[in-house]
Amino acid sequence: MSPPVRFTPIRMHALLTRRRLADNPDQHRDYTRYLAQRMGPMIHALMLVAGLAYLVAISAGTLVHASPLSWSLRLAPVLPLLLLAALARRVQQPRLLSLLALLCVALLEIGVNLDGIGHLPGQPWIMPGLLLPVASSVVWLETWDFAIAMALCAFGPLPMLLSSATSGMHMVQYLVYMVIAIALSAVLRAFMTRTLFEQYRLERQLREQVNTDGLTGLLLRNRFLELGRLALCDISRQQKPMCMLFLDADHFKQLNDDHGHAAGDDALVALAATLRAQTRETDLIGRIGGEEFALLLPGLNLRQAGERAERLRLAVHSIRRPDGALTVSIGIAECSHVGEAIESLLARADQAMRRAKNGGRDRVVSG
């Protein structure tokens, strides 16, 4: 029987985010955008409920006690709250969404102060302020907005507390209740964050499995063409060159026939590792067919791509197969005009690779 799993949400969250996100800014941004997409509707709904709840609370409060402030002044935060809720429905940028939620909390704290004016000592005027940390605990996308929100909740009612004849006992009571509310909020947020991160991680793994080759870990043909299409558009706007390399492992069928598919798989894995070692972060690498691979090289002209291909051809010689060194035939094609389709560029590189095959293999040919 496997040992029981120990749930330590705050520690688990720290480990997950620190190891997998902090060292990878791109993945951190992707994760934050994912949170904004998943939690955006909930943030909008909670902001809308907050505005309507405040309206109901103020209306009901007029029946309980008289206030020195006019009813219209105490209702002043309602319209901004509803406007923020309407804006949140259209916002997808994570940081802006967090700022809107923080503004909502600030307006609610202003409302708590306005509604508290005129309360007699001992009345439960502070309860709305104690509910805010817990009610908003699950909507914060990052640590910074959670910390600011909790500070607003803790210090927001202080102007009313300090300006009224609040006894020391009520002040201590408020501080104890607020500490408990914020601690509970931290626990709820930790559980929510861990759950969402695990969901994000699993969805990311599924996307990678769909888009990458299980043996080599390289992009599959369709995903390679999809990303290549986007890269081609970007490089065309920048008016920079771009080249495509098409590689084919020489005599690969003979390797499979003579030594088995396991030997062929080992050669493909080693070839994929060599391709990664020889390319930049901006390059795209895809497995187009069985032993066929393609590299998209943004920013390189035909001469530069030829030098890169030659280094790659020589690097592949270090891969040993049972019957000798592995070799590849490489074809190169440069994007000829603005608007050329990625399929056309790949086809021209494929044709150049076939000429390399026909010319004796283990060579580079430009299209």
Side-chain angles (χ1 to χ4, degrees), residues 98-306:
S98 293
L99 291 176
L100 290 177
L102 288 173
L103 283 175
C104 179
V105 171
L107 285 171
L108 289 173
E109 289 296 343
I110 292 173
V112 169
N113 280 273
L114 292 175
D115 189 46
I117 296 176
H119 275 278
L120 296 175
Q123 289 185 335
W125 43 264
I126 204 62
M127 286 306 296
L130 294 172
L131 290 175
L132 272 179
V134 179
S136 67
S137 61
V138 297
V139 305
W140 308 111
L141 304 181
E142 298 192 71
T143 303
W144 68 268
D145 53 359
F146 175 75
I148 294 175
M150 295 302 103
L152 285 173
C153 293
F155 298 110
L158 287 183
M160 179 180 57
L161 289 170
L162 297 176
S163 63
S164 62
T166 304
S167 65
M169 182 186 68
H170 285 102
M171 181 67 78
V172 172
Q173 185 183 32
Y174 163 74
L175 292 175
V176 171
Y177 285 169
M178 184 56 71
V179 168
I180 294 173
I182 292 178
L184 178 59
S185 302
V187 173
L188 290 175
R189 181 180 181 272
F191 270 104
M192 176 66 75
T193 303
R194 186 186 67 172
T195 301
L196 287 174
F197 185 84
E198 285 301 316
Q199 182 176 328
Y200 162 80
R201 184 180 62 83
L202 291 174
E203 290 185 13
R204 187 181 178 92
Q205 286 180 350
L206 290 176
R207 289 197 302 268
E208 290 176 352
Q209 290 175 3
V210 170
N211 294 325
T212 57
D213 173 52
L215 178 65
T216 63
L218 301 180
L219 295 172
L220 291 173
R221 180 188 180 95
N222 289 341
R223 183 59 172 169
F224 175 82
L225 292 176
E226 179 184 352
L227 295 179
R229 195 172 295 111
L230 297 175
L232 199 56
C233 292
D234 289 340
I235 210 72
S236 297
R237 284 195 295 267
Q238 300 173 19
Q239 297 182 345
K240 293 181 179 180
M242 176 178 284
C243 286
M244 177 81 75
L245 304 187
F246 199 105
L247 295 82
D248 186 271
D250 296 329
H251 304 294
F252 195 78
K253 184 178 183 302
Q254 181 180 349
L255 173 63
N256 282 330
D257 291 344
D258 294 346
H259 302 280
H261 289 279
D265 289 347
D266 291 341
L268 291 177
V269 171
L271 178 55
T274 302
L275 293 179
R276 291 194 192 92
Q278 293 290 321
T279 52
R280 308 164 297 173
E281 291 184 359
T282 55
D283 299 336
L284 290 178
I285 317 174
R287 185 181 181 188
I288 305 304
E291 65 273 17
E292 297 175 336
F293 300 83
L295 282 78
L296 191 62
L297 309 177
L300 298 188
N301 57 31
L302 195 60
R303 179 187 60 80
Q304 294 168 326

